[in-house]
Amino acid sequence: MQGSQVVSSQIASKKGDEDGDYFSSNAKYNSETLEEGGKETLQGPTEEELEAPDLQRKGWDVTCLTKNPKNFAIMVGVLSSVGAVLYGLDVSLISGVLLYVVSDLSLNSSQSSLVSSGMALGAIGGGFMGIVMVEYLGRKTSILIACVLYTVGALMEALAPSFGVLISGRLVLGLGVGIEYDAIPLYISESSPKNRRGDLVALFQLMAFFGVMLGYVVDAIFANVSGSWRFMFGSSIVFSVAYFLLMLVFPESPRWLMKRGRERDAMRNWKYMRGFAPEERSEYVNMVEVVRTELEASRQRIIWLDFVRVPEIRYAVIYAILMVFLQQFSGVNSIEYYLGTLYEEIGMSKLDSVYMSLINGGCLFISTLPAVFLMDKVGRRPLVLLLAPFTVIGLAIAGASTYVKHKTGQVVAYTIGMVIYDLFWGSALGAVPIAVNSEVYPQYLRSNGMSIAVIATFVGTFTTTYTFSRMVHSMTKLGTLLGFYGGVTFLGWALCIFFMPETKDLTLEQIRQVFLKGPFGIAKENKRVLSMQLSSVKNKFKSLFSKSS
């Protein structure tokens, strides 16, 4: 039996082994052990082949900075994650900008809402552009184009003489953010070892919140400068240009090269980005076989329909979009975009509102740090289940602050609520949905799936930011923060208990097997695992009390 046939038969066996553990090695792709008459059908490149002239570096790139590919894989994740700073900057810069631009350009409430949500509206378009660009131009090229769009948009914002130019700049900048948000997590996910992939994608979210914190710092620096909002917008150009220059010397994703039929280029980049030690060799062999099989199976048909007609892919996309929905409708963007305005409404000055926003930016950054170190140790599922309920508590306190009569008490209560919310949101609802969307799709649909996630993300961002002021006016702050955002978060958390699978320690090619179980198979497995964990905790308590007695 040929290797591709073995993989195909494994994929086609969808509902087999219902009572098996989908976390076990038996449920994984096994192309590295495919045999025909006792002989491996695919072994990967030999040492002699790796020394071929066409498998040597072409010019200078950042792979020269380390001789150990394992160290380079970490460097790829760390440095490419810096691109998320651009998105984070915009989220928080607008909080300070709105305090000044409304009066300077005489904006009405609808125009103000469009300025705050304009980036998200543009990013929806960027998500649609990413469907073509990330797939056909590559991950790296798409990131470079995103940087150019971001720079042009930021320049238009900073020099805007009117609302029309300003909103145009917001839309152009949003296009760059949407493409970037599509390409960077894919680039990191496809270039990282399986045991570090979640941590490195979480680092992307951490860098986004570093950008949020940095944006509040920039707001504070320029708050007392004439034309302050122009400098706030213009400051982001420094970061987009620097990131563009950095990405010029990064190699392309080996998985994308393999998918485009550039096998020698894929092998060369894998050699310097991952190496061919035994584990990496097995993953490379597996990747090659699965990509070939999936590409062969996807010919002569519209692959977009696989999101509907292939059961495991259908469940994967529903699950991934629901995680995005939970992330966006937990209220984070509404809160961060309008943070300065909310503090001003409580009764603080513009300058003090900017300074108070720094607290929240710092908390979001700190809250994402655990995900970078724990996502591939404890998993995606425990982070969501353990931390998400505390975000509801934070929303309740912040919403209830409205009923505190004393101004100082109201500021303190609102700040405490937001700090609690931020400290638990980052590692749970911030980092996990991005990691999930970068890894749950098969290779031939991964860029398409990520584009869907980006579109869903910024549709959520636009919807929540554009309607936030109206929601507060009609539903009150408590009704909006606790009733709506808190209610959505609690409902999403409850669904995760039953239907959220675990994908840590699986290669991108192995993850598809998780979704072969279907939602009820995953719920059954989650119930079994949860029962085992509760039983273990119960036994530990019994042992503890028996020793003390």
Side-chain angles (χ1 to χ4, degrees):
M1 181 182 289
Q2 295 300 313
S4 61
Q5 293 173 319
V6 173
V7 176
S8 297
S9 66
Q10 288 179 336
I11 294 173
S13 64
K14 296 181 173 83
K15 298 295 181 181
D17 299 323
E18 284 292 335
D19 295 325
D21 182 354
Y22 61 73
F23 299 113
S24 71
S25 59
N26 293 331
K28 301 177 182 179
Y29 287 105
N30 268 324
S31 66
E32 66 267 23
T33 59
L34 297 177
E35 297 185 357
E36 184 176 323
K39 182 180 179 181
E40 289 187 353
T41 60
L42 187 62
Q43 299 178 1
T46 63
E47 294 303 320
E48 292 77 15
E49 187 178 10
L50 290 174
E51 296 303 317
D54 67 323
L55 293 186
Q56 307 310 304
R57 290 188 182 94
K58 291 185 176 181
W60 191 91
D61 62 40
V62 290
T63 59
C64 299
L65 297 179
T66 176
K67 294 182 179 180
N68 187 338
K70 288 188 177 181
N71 294 336
F72 177 74
I74 306 303
M75 186 173 70
V76 166
V78 172
L79 295 182
S80 55
S81 294
V82 174
V85 171
L86 300 179
Y87 169 64
L89 268 171
D90 185 81
V91 169
S92 53
L93 282 176
I94 198 66
S95 175
V97 165
L98 287 176
L99 295 173
Y100 301 94
V101 72
V102 172
S103 57
D104 279 10
L105 295 184
S106 303
L107 305 181
N108 58 39
S109 59
S110 295
Q111 290 173 329
S112 175
S113 295
L114 274 175
V115 169
S116 65
S117 57
M119 183 277 289
L121 188 60
I124 296 171
F128 282 105
M129 290 174 63
I131 293 174
V132 176
M133 292 174 57
V134 177
E135 176 65 19
Y136 293 101
L137 300 182
R139 290 31 169 163
K140 173 183 172 179
T141 303
S142 297
I143 294 171
L144 293 173
I145 293 172
C147 288
V148 172
L149 289 171
Y150 192 99
T151 303
V152 172
L155 191 62
M156 291 174 68
E157 289 176 333
L159 301 177
S162 64
F163 169 74
V165 177
L166 178 59
I167 196 61
S168 298
R170 298 288 289 157
L171 292 172
V172 171
L173 181 142
L175 290 174
V177 169
I179 297 168
E180 170 201 89
Y181 215 78
D182 192 337
I184 295 176
L186 273 180
Y187 182 82
I188 297 170
S189 180
E190 292 181 350
S191 305
S192 304
K194 65 180 181 181
N195 62 335
R196 299 305 301 271
R197 184 181 65 248
D199 292 343
L200 293 174
V201 175
L203 188 61
F204 175 81
Q205 187 66 34
L206 177 69
M207 286 298 178
F209 289 132
F210 177 74
V212 170
M213 182 175 67
L214 197 60
Y216 288 132
V217 171
V218 171
D219 283 348
I221 291 173
F222 293 112
N224 277 332
V225 176
S226 177
S228 54
W229 62 271
R230 297 185 185 276
F231 289 100
M232 292 173 184
F233 275 142
S235 63
S236 62
I237 296 174
V238 175
F239 298 94
S240 59
V241 171
Y243 188 59
F244 176 87
L245 296 175
L246 178 66
M247 283 306 300
L248 281 175
V249 293
F250 266 77
E252 182 57 88
S253 159
R255 281 183 167 90
W256 179 80
L257 290 169
M258 186 68 204
K259 181 181 177 182
R260 303 308 300 173
R262 297 165 58 181
E263 296 189 19
R264 301 293 288 181
D265 290 335
M267 192 185 298
R268 181 182 64 249
N269 283 14
W270 190 283
K271 173 184 174 181
Y272 293 108
M273 296 173 75
R274 297 290 303 278
F276 281 98
E279 186 175 0
E280 281 70 26
R281 181 180 293 270
S282 293
E283 186 177 342
Y284 175 81
V285 167
N286 198 24
M287 180 268 290
V288 170
E289 189 69 13
V290 172
V291 169
R292 286 175 178 170
T293 301
E294 290 178 341
L295 286 176
E296 183 65 29
S298 65
R299 292 195 176 113
Q300 306 301 321
R301 73 179 200 274
I302 302 173
I303 62 172
W304 277 92
L305 294 178
D306 285 6
F307 285 115
V308 177
R309 65 187 168 200
V310 180
E312 68 270 23
I313 299 177
R314 182 170 62 243
Y315 180 54
V317 73
I318 291 172
Y319 163 63
I321 290 176
L322 286 176
M323 290 301 293
V324 169
F325 180 88
L326 176 58
Q327 179 192 64
Q328 294 302 306
F329 285 85
S330 61
V332 65
N333 288 304
S334 298
I335 293 165
E336 298 305 320
Y337 275 57
Y338 287 97
L339 198 56
T341 303
L342 288 170
Y343 273 119
E344 188 180 29
E345 287 176 356
I346 291 174
M348 302 185 71
S349 67
K350 285 183 172 60
L351 189 59
D352 288 340
S353 297
V354 171
Y355 290 148
M356 287 299 295
S357 300
L358 285 169
I359 299 174
N360 293 72
C363 288
L364 273 176
F365 175 72
I366 293 169
S367 75
T368 314
L369 280 171
V372 177
F373 299 102
L374 296 177
M375 191 175 290
D376 283 318
K377 291 183 177 63
V378 304
R380 287 79 164 136
R381 181 178 160 82
L383 286 175
V384 171
L385 298 189
L386 293 174
L387 302 181
F390 291 96
T391 64
V392 180
I393 295 172
L395 288 169
I397 296 172
S401 67
T402 306
Y403 298 98
V404 178
K405 300 302 181 182
H406 195 274
K407 173 187 170 182
T408 302
Q410 192 173 357
V411 170
V412 170
Y414 181 78
T415 303
I416 290 174
M418 286 295 94
V419 166
I420 293 173
Y421 175 87
D422 290 336
L423 286 177
F424 290 98
W425 190 90
S427 285
L429 302 181
V432 172
I434 294 177
V436 162
N437 276 276
S438 70
E439 67 187 9
V440 298
Y441 302 107
Q443 181 64 44
Y444 76 102
L445 285 173
R446 188 165 296 127
S447 60
N448 308 71
M450 195 65 200
S451 296
I452 292 173
V454 171
I455 293 167
T457 294
F458 289 106
V459 165
T461 302
F462 175 76
T463 302
T464 54
T465 53
Y466 185 71
T467 61
F468 181 69
S469 58
R470 293 172 175 81
M471 289 173 66
V472 171
H473 179 73
S474 60
M475 298 170 60
T476 74
K477 191 184 295 183
L478 179 62
T480 302
L481 296 182
L482 178 59
F484 184 76
Y485 292 138
V488 169
T489 304
F490 182 81
L491 178 61
W493 173 77
L495 289 174
C496 286
I497 294 176
F498 296 102
F499 300 111
M500 181 181 184
E502 183 56 77
T503 53
K504 79 180 184 76
D505 291 334
L506 300 179
T507 68
L508 293 175
E509 288 70 40
Q510 293 164 353
I511 287 175
R512 184 170 178 178
Q513 290 287 342
V514 172
F515 294 98
L516 291 177
K517 291 284 183 179
F520 295 107
I522 289 174
K524 181 180 178 181
E525 177 61 24
N526 287 337
K527 180 182 177 182
R528 185 185 70 82
V529 172
L530 193 59
S531 297
M532 289 174 56
Q533 291 171 338
L534 291 175
S535 178
S536 176
V537 171
K538 184 178 178 181
N539 290 335
K540 285 182 180 179
F541 271 105
K542 281 184 178 179
S543 174
L544 201 69
F545 282 117
S546 63
K547 285 181 181 179
S548 62
S549 59

PDB file of all heavy atoms in Angstrom, residues 362-378:
ATOM      1  N   GLY A 362      -1.029  47.733  30.975  1.00  0.00           N
ATOM      2  CA  GLY A 362      -0.035  46.903  31.664  1.00  0.00           C
ATOM      3  C   GLY A 362      -0.612  45.579  32.123  1.00  0.00           C
ATOM      4  O   GLY A 362       0.037  44.534  32.020  1.00  0.00           O
ATOM      5  N   CYS A 363      -1.857  45.598  32.599  1.00  0.00           N
ATOM      6  CA  CYS A 363      -2.498  44.361  33.068  1.00  0.00           C
ATOM      7  C   CYS A 363      -2.742  43.383  31.923  1.00  0.00           C
ATOM      8  O   CYS A 363      -2.554  42.167  32.086  1.00  0.00           O
ATOM      9  CB  CYS A 363      -3.821  44.687  33.763  1.00  0.00           C
ATOM     10  SG  CYS A 363      -3.622  45.474  35.380  1.00  0.00           S
ATOM     11  N   LEU A 364      -3.171  43.891  30.769  1.00  0.00           N
ATOM     12  CA  LEU A 364      -3.372  43.008  29.616  1.00  0.00           C
ATOM     13  C   LEU A 364      -2.073  42.351  29.188  1.00  0.00           C
ATOM     14  O   LEU A 364      -2.042  41.165  28.846  1.00  0.00           O
ATOM     15  CB  LEU A 364      -3.966  43.799  28.447  1.00  0.00           C
ATOM     16  CG  LEU A 364      -5.484  43.923  28.397  1.00  0.00           C
ATOM     17  CD1 LEU A 364      -5.893  44.818  27.237  1.00  0.00           C
ATOM     18  CD2 LEU A 364      -6.152  42.556  28.265  1.00  0.00           C
ATOM     19  N   PHE A 365      -0.995  43.114  29.205  1.00  0.00           N
ATOM     20  CA  PHE A 365       0.308  42.558  28.837  1.00  0.00           C
ATOM     21  C   PHE A 365       0.731  41.476  29.825  1.00  0.00           C
ATOM     22  O   PHE A 365       1.122  40.368  29.438  1.00  0.00           O
ATOM     23  CB  PHE A 365       1.349  43.679  28.794  1.00  0.00           C
ATOM     24  CG  PHE A 365       2.748  43.190  28.529  1.00  0.00           C
ATOM     25  CD1 PHE A 365       3.094  42.729  27.262  1.00  0.00           C
ATOM     26  CD2 PHE A 365       3.696  43.191  29.534  1.00  0.00           C
ATOM     27  CE1 PHE A 365       4.394  42.277  27.010  1.00  0.00           C
ATOM     28  CE2 PHE A 365       4.991  42.738  29.289  1.00  0.00           C
ATOM     29  CZ  PHE A 365       5.337  42.280  28.029  1.00  0.00           C
ATOM     30  N   ILE A 366       0.627  41.768  31.116  1.00  0.00           N
ATOM     31  CA  ILE A 366       1.017  40.806  32.151  1.00  0.00           C
ATOM     32  C   ILE A 366       0.148  39.551  32.083  1.00  0.00           C
ATOM     33  O   ILE A 366       0.628  38.425  32.261  1.00  0.00           O
ATOM     34  CB  ILE A 366       0.925  41.460  33.548  1.00  0.00           C
ATOM     35  CG1 ILE A 366       1.990  42.568  33.678  1.00  0.00           C
ATOM     36  CG2 ILE A 366       1.089  40.424  34.656  1.00  0.00           C
ATOM     37  CD1 ILE A 366       1.809  43.436  34.901  1.00  0.00           C
ATOM     38  N   SER A 367      -1.139  39.738  31.799  1.00  0.00           N
ATOM     39  CA  SER A 367      -2.064  38.610  31.824  1.00  0.00           C
ATOM     40  C   SER A 367      -1.794  37.597  30.723  1.00  0.00           C
ATOM     41  O   SER A 367      -2.211  36.432  30.820  1.00  0.00           O
ATOM     42  CB  SER A 367      -3.508  39.118  31.693  1.00  0.00           C
ATOM     43  OG  SER A 367      -3.796  39.525  30.370  1.00  0.00           O
ATOM     44  N   THR A 368      -1.126  38.014  29.650  1.00  0.00           N
ATOM     45  CA  THR A 368      -0.857  37.095  28.546  1.00  0.00           C
ATOM     46  C   THR A 368       0.433  36.315  28.744  1.00  0.00           C
ATOM     47  O   THR A 368       0.650  35.286  28.099  1.00  0.00           O
ATOM     48  CB  THR A 368      -0.801  37.868  27.215  1.00  0.00           C
ATOM     49  OG1 THR A 368      -1.903  38.772  27.149  1.00  0.00           O
ATOM     50  CG2 THR A 368      -0.898  36.945  26.024  1.00  0.00           C
ATOM     51  N   LEU A 369       1.295  36.763  29.651  1.00  0.00           N
ATOM     52  CA  LEU A 369       2.562  36.074  29.898  1.00  0.00           C
ATOM     53  C   LEU A 369       2.382  34.596  30.261  1.00  0.00           C
ATOM     54  O   LEU A 369       3.110  33.741  29.736  1.00  0.00           O
ATOM     55  CB  LEU A 369       3.346  36.796  31.005  1.00  0.00           C
ATOM     56  CG  LEU A 369       4.112  38.051  30.582  1.00  0.00           C
ATOM     57  CD1 LEU A 369       4.641  38.782  31.815  1.00  0.00           C
ATOM     58  CD2 LEU A 369       5.259  37.684  29.653  1.00  0.00           C
ATOM     59  N   PRO A 370       1.432  34.236  31.143  1.00  0.00           N
ATOM     60  CA  PRO A 370       1.278  32.802  31.468  1.00  0.00           C
ATOM     61  C   PRO A 370       1.012  31.925  30.252  1.00  0.00           C
ATOM     62  O   PRO A 370       1.487  30.790  30.191  1.00  0.00           O
ATOM     63  CB  PRO A 370       0.082  32.792  32.431  1.00  0.00           C
ATOM     64  CG  PRO A 370       0.097  34.144  33.065  1.00  0.00           C
ATOM     65  CD  PRO A 370       0.551  35.069  31.977  1.00  0.00           C
ATOM     66  N   ALA A 371       0.265  32.439  29.274  1.00  0.00           N
ATOM     67  CA  ALA A 371      -0.048  31.631  28.089  1.00  0.00           C
ATOM     68  C   ALA A 371       1.211  31.270  27.313  1.00  0.00           C
ATOM     69  O   ALA A 371       1.314  30.172  26.750  1.00  0.00           O
ATOM     70  CB  ALA A 371      -1.014  32.379  27.184  1.00  0.00           C
ATOM     71  N   VAL A 372       2.187  32.190  27.274  1.00  0.00           N
ATOM     72  CA  VAL A 372       3.426  31.938  26.541  1.00  0.00           C
ATOM     73  C   VAL A 372       4.191  30.762  27.143  1.00  0.00           C
ATOM     74  O   VAL A 372       4.834  29.989  26.432  1.00  0.00           O
ATOM     75  CB  VAL A 372       4.305  33.215  26.520  1.00  0.00           C
ATOM     76  CG1 VAL A 372       5.632  32.951  25.834  1.00  0.00           C
ATOM     77  CG2 VAL A 372       3.565  34.351  25.832  1.00  0.00           C
ATOM     78  N   PHE A 373       4.093  30.609  28.455  1.00  0.00           N
ATOM     79  CA  PHE A 373       4.844  29.548  29.128  1.00  0.00           C
ATOM     80  C   PHE A 373       4.005  28.303  29.420  1.00  0.00           C
ATOM     81  O   PHE A 373       4.547  27.229  29.670  1.00  0.00           O
ATOM     82  CB  PHE A 373       5.420  30.088  30.441  1.00  0.00           C
ATOM     83  CG  PHE A 373       6.371  31.235  30.252  1.00  0.00           C
ATOM     84  CD1 PHE A 373       5.968  32.545  30.485  1.00  0.00           C
ATOM     85  CD2 PHE A 373       7.661  31.022  29.793  1.00  0.00           C
ATOM     86  CE1 PHE A 373       6.834  33.601  30.298  1.00  0.00           C
ATOM     87  CE2 PHE A 373       8.541  32.074  29.597  1.00  0.00           C
ATOM     88  CZ  PHE A 373       8.133  33.369  29.849  1.00  0.00           C
ATOM     89  N   LEU A 374       2.679  28.439  29.410  1.00  0.00           N
ATOM     90  CA  LEU A 374       1.834  27.337  29.853  1.00  0.00           C
ATOM     91  C   LEU A 374       0.992  26.681  28.759  1.00  0.00           C
ATOM     92  O   LEU A 374       0.504  25.564  28.957  1.00  0.00           O
ATOM     93  CB  LEU A 374       0.889  27.827  30.965  1.00  0.00           C
ATOM     94  CG  LEU A 374       1.539  28.292  32.266  1.00  0.00           C
ATOM     95  CD1 LEU A 374       0.477  28.807  33.229  1.00  0.00           C
ATOM     96  CD2 LEU A 374       2.335  27.170  32.907  1.00  0.00           C
ATOM     97  N   MET A 375       0.799  27.343  27.628  1.00  0.00           N
ATOM     98  CA  MET A 375      -0.131  26.799  26.641  1.00  0.00           C
ATOM     99  C   MET A 375       0.281  25.418  26.146  1.00  0.00           C
ATOM    100  O   MET A 375      -0.561  24.553  25.921  1.00  0.00           O
ATOM    101  CB  MET A 375      -0.304  27.753  25.459  1.00  0.00           C
ATOM    102  CG  MET A 375      -1.459  27.338  24.559  1.00  0.00           C
ATOM    103  SD  MET A 375      -1.810  28.484  23.215  1.00  0.00           S
ATOM    104  CE  MET A 375      -2.474  29.874  24.098  1.00  0.00           C
ATOM    105  N   ASP A 376       1.579  25.199  25.989  1.00  0.00           N
ATOM    106  CA  ASP A 376       2.036  23.891  25.538  1.00  0.00           C
ATOM    107  C   ASP A 376       2.408  22.969  26.694  1.00  0.00           C
ATOM    108  O   ASP A 376       2.846  21.842  26.470  1.00  0.00           O
ATOM    109  CB  ASP A 376       3.233  24.042  24.595  1.00  0.00           C
ATOM    110  CG  ASP A 376       2.796  24.487  23.209  1.00  0.00           C
ATOM    111  OD1 ASP A 376       1.779  23.972  22.722  1.00  0.00           O
ATOM    112  OD2 ASP A 376       3.453  25.366  22.626  1.00  0.00           O
ATOM    113  N   LYS A 377       2.217  23.437  27.917  1.00  0.00           N
ATOM    114  CA  LYS A 377       2.446  22.575  29.084  1.00  0.00           C
ATOM    115  C   LYS A 377       1.122  22.089  29.660  1.00  0.00           C
ATOM    116  O   LYS A 377       0.934  20.897  29.885  1.00  0.00           O
ATOM    117  CB  LYS A 377       3.255  23.323  30.140  1.00  0.00           C
ATOM    118  CG  LYS A 377       4.700  23.593  29.733  1.00  0.00           C
ATOM    119  CD  LYS A 377       5.464  24.282  30.847  1.00  0.00           C
ATOM    120  CE  LYS A 377       6.935  24.467  30.454  1.00  0.00           C
ATOM    121  NZ  LYS A 377       7.125  25.330  29.290  1.00  0.00           N
ATOM    122  N   VAL A 378       0.200  22.998  29.924  1.00  0.00           N
ATOM    123  CA  VAL A 378      -1.093  22.600  30.495  1.00  0.00           C
ATOM    124  C   VAL A 378      -2.166  22.448  29.419  1.00  0.00           C
ATOM    125  O   VAL A 378      -3.175  21.786  29.643  1.00  0.00           O
ATOM    126  CB  VAL A 378      -1.565  23.600  31.572  1.00  0.00           C
ATOM    127  CG1 VAL A 378      -0.529  23.751  32.662  1.00  0.00           C
ATOM    128  CG2 VAL A 378      -1.891  24.955  30.956  1.00  0.00           C
TER     129      VAL A 378
END
